Amino acid sequence: MIFLVLFLVLLGIFLKISDSSLNLWFWSRVSRRTEADHYRGKVVWIVGASSGIGEDIALRLSRFSSLLILSARRTELLETVAKKCRDANSSCQVKILPLDMVDFPNLERKTREADEIFGRKVDIVVLNAGRSQRAEWTDIDPSVDAECFQINAIGPTQVARTILKNRGLHPTGDKLDNLQFIVISSVAGLLPAILSPSYAAAKAALMQYFRLLALEMGEKGVKVSIICPSHVYAPNMLKSAFTSSPGTEHGEVISAPRAAQMAPERAAELISLAAVNEIYECVIASTPSVLASIYFFANFPGVFARIINIIGAQRLRKIRSAHE
Ligand SMILES: *[C@@H]1O[C@H](CO)[C@@H](O)[C@H](O)[C@H]1NC(C)=O
């Protein structure tokens, strides 16, 4: 009994002071390896670098003498982010490589270009591209499900697969290579997130692909860190979000950070630290209730669902819309 009380008290304190899951919180404090050690001289390819967390990761890494490649579909936005990196650090080496992740026939050429742009191969790939959703479960058109999976799960997976193929890396082969994938998922990939059914399902699929990659290719030198951010402030996060019907966007612009949202600079720092410490999978969230929900759901999914039924889905919709 006394141990249970002690455990609950410690758990409460941890949830209050931490903005990440226990593994990242612990290892980022204990380990002596720094971001400067990890990124110095490495070629880092950020896919989905034109806005949101991707842009902040680029800005963070501009401090650590890495060679940055920025990718997304829109060249002008990439130019802007590249300029911000150079403004932040005039000795930052940054190049842009426009890329449509779901243009599969061109992926081989694009990934080879990334491996050549600095005259040496990519060491670290940040897979951040994705598109959120606001829709009711019952209303979704199947073409929206398909497109949402394409962008959030299959695109990043295919980018990784193409790089491995280009380099002749295979689970049954004897080639080794040092390659790290930093995969940005979402807490929606771990918790059933109301109002984002296709997105949550796609992020869960993304995570399962990369969990498996880490297991299958770990002994070949391929490392994977999956990071699940909760609410991070990004003004346009919902603007281009999927709805339930094809060809329409949610359109909402969030003009100022809301209380539950983490500052994007802090999210970028935590993501970077997760990669430095080679954390297999972690959660970053500034609200204790999100961290608590994830730990609780992972252990007691049935009890969790019953509690949600008592709170009521309608009330949950309102809470979710007010927080992000
Ligand atoms: C700028 O980058 C260089 C090397 O690329 C690094 O040594 C320096 O610490 C960076 N400066 C800042 C202010 O981030």
Side-chain angles (χ1 to χ4, degrees), residues 62-63 65 88-89 91:
S62 69
R63 306 181 191 181
S65 341
N89 189 338
S91 56

Side-chain angles (χ1 to χ4, degrees), residues 108 112 158 160-170:
E108 193 196 331
R112 282 192 197 281
Q158 199 53 32
R161 221 176 246 150
T162 312
I163 298 172
L164 298 176
K165 265 194 200 150
N166 286 348
R167 297 187 185 187
L169 288 166
H170 192 268

Side-chain angles (χ1 to χ4, degrees), residues 36 40-41 59-67 85 88-93:
R40 186 181 304 119
L59 283 170
R60 174 125 203 125
L61 298 193
S62 69
R63 306 181 191 181
F64 305 119
S65 341
S66 48
L67 311 165
C85 291
N89 189 338
S90 53
S91 56
C92 171
Q93 298 204 53

Side-chain angles (χ1 to χ4, degrees), residues 51 73-74 130-136 140 144-145 147-149 151-152 194-200 203 234-254 320 324:
S51 62
R73 273 175 311 161
R74 284 172 292 179
R131 203 171 134 194
S132 189
Q133 183 187 39
R134 281 296 177 276
E136 292 293 348
I140 298 167
V144 172
D145 284 318
E147 200 188 341
C148 191
F149 266 69
I151 287 178
N152 290 302
I194 209 157
L195 290 176
S196 306
S198 329
Y199 178 72
K203 284 293 193 184
N236 291 330
M237 183 186 72
L238 285 180
K239 189 163 167 279
S240 60
F242 286 107
T243 61
S244 50
S245 2
T248 57
E249 297 186 343
H250 185 68
E252 185 184 349
V253 175
I254 306 168
R320 177 135 203 247
E324 55 179 78

Side-chain angles (χ1 to χ4, degrees), residues 4-285:
L4 182 65
V5 171
L6 191 64
F7 171 75
L8 289 176
V9 169
L10 286 178
L11 181 68
I13 294 171
F14 167 73
L15 292 175
K16 187 88 190 114
I17 60 172
S18 179
D19 58 0
S20 70
S21 48
L22 184 61
N23 50 357
L24 178 57
W25 184 86
F26 180 78
W27 288 111
S28 59
R29 277 165 180 76
V30 166
S31 147
R32 266 185 262 137
R33 200 172 159 75
T34 64
E35 289 173 280
D37 297 332
H38 190 70
Y39 297 109
R40 186 181 304 119
K42 299 260 179 75
V43 178
V44 184
W45 184 17
I46 306 177
V47 178
S50 61
S51 62
I53 297 181
E55 173 177 347
D56 287 283
I57 296 173
L59 283 170
R60 174 125 203 125
L61 298 193
S62 69
R63 306 181 191 181
F64 305 119
S65 341
S66 48
L67 311 165
L68 297 177
I69 309 171
L70 309 182
S71 284
R73 273 175 311 161
R74 284 172 292 179
T75 312
E76 334 77 74
L77 293 180
L78 292 173
E79 299 278 12
T80 312
V81 178
K83 184 172 177 305
K84 282 188 194 169
C85 291
R86 288 189 204 103
D87 289 347
N89 189 338
S90 53
S91 56
C92 171
Q93 298 204 53
V94 51
K95 300 206 168 160
I96 64 165
L97 177 63
L99 168 78
D100 182 355
M101 217 181 28
V102 294
D103 179 10
F104 297 144
N106 272 319
L107 277 189
E108 193 196 331
R109 187 170 56 81
K110 287 286 183 177
T111 48
R112 282 192 197 281
E113 269 181 58
D115 270 341
E116 285 158 10
I117 204 165
F118 279 111
R120 46 167 297 183
K121 283 184 188 166
V122 171
D123 300 286
I124 301 174
V125 186
V126 182
L127 295 168
N128 173 61
R131 203 171 134 194
S132 189
Q133 183 187 39
R134 281 296 177 276
E136 292 293 348
W137 201 99
T138 41
D139 300 344
I140 298 167
D141 188 275
S143 68
V144 172
D145 284 318
E147 200 188 341
C148 191
F149 266 69
Q150 194 84 330
I151 287 178
N152 290 302
I154 300 170
T157 303
Q158 199 53 32
V159 169
R161 221 176 246 150
T162 312
I163 298 172
L164 298 176
K165 265 194 200 150
N166 286 348
R167 297 187 185 187
L169 288 166
H170 192 268
T172 61
D174 10 86
K175 261 197 129 173
L176 303 176
D177 209 340
N178 275 319
L179 185 60
Q180 183 180 36
F181 290 102
I182 306 176
V183 182
I184 313 302
S185 179
S186 160
V187 291
L190 295 171
L191 284 178
I194 209 157
L195 290 176
S196 306
S198 329
Y199 178 72
K203 284 293 193 184
L206 172 75
M207 292 177 73
Q208 211 64 289
Y209 276 122
F210 279 90
R211 284 168 176 161
L212 276 165
L213 175 66
L215 300 188
E216 293 204 9
M217 296 296 288
E219 60 198 65
K220 308 290 172 198
V222 176
K223 299 186 182 82
V224 176
S225 290
I226 302 172
I227 295 105
C228 299
S230 174
H231 324 298
V232 174
Y233 176 63
N236 291 330
M237 183 186 72
L238 285 180
K239 189 163 167 279
S240 60
F242 286 107
T243 61
S244 50
S245 2
T248 57
E249 297 186 343
H250 185 68
E252 185 184 349
V253 175
I254 306 168
S255 51
R258 293 170 181 167
Q261 288 173 329
M262 182 182 277
E265 298 80 15
R266 175 65 178 156
E269 180 181 9
L270 287 169
I271 289 165
S272 162
L273 288 170
V276 170
N277 292 292
E278 294 175 359
I279 304 285
Y280 180 58
E281 194 170 310
C282 65
V283 177
I284 62 177

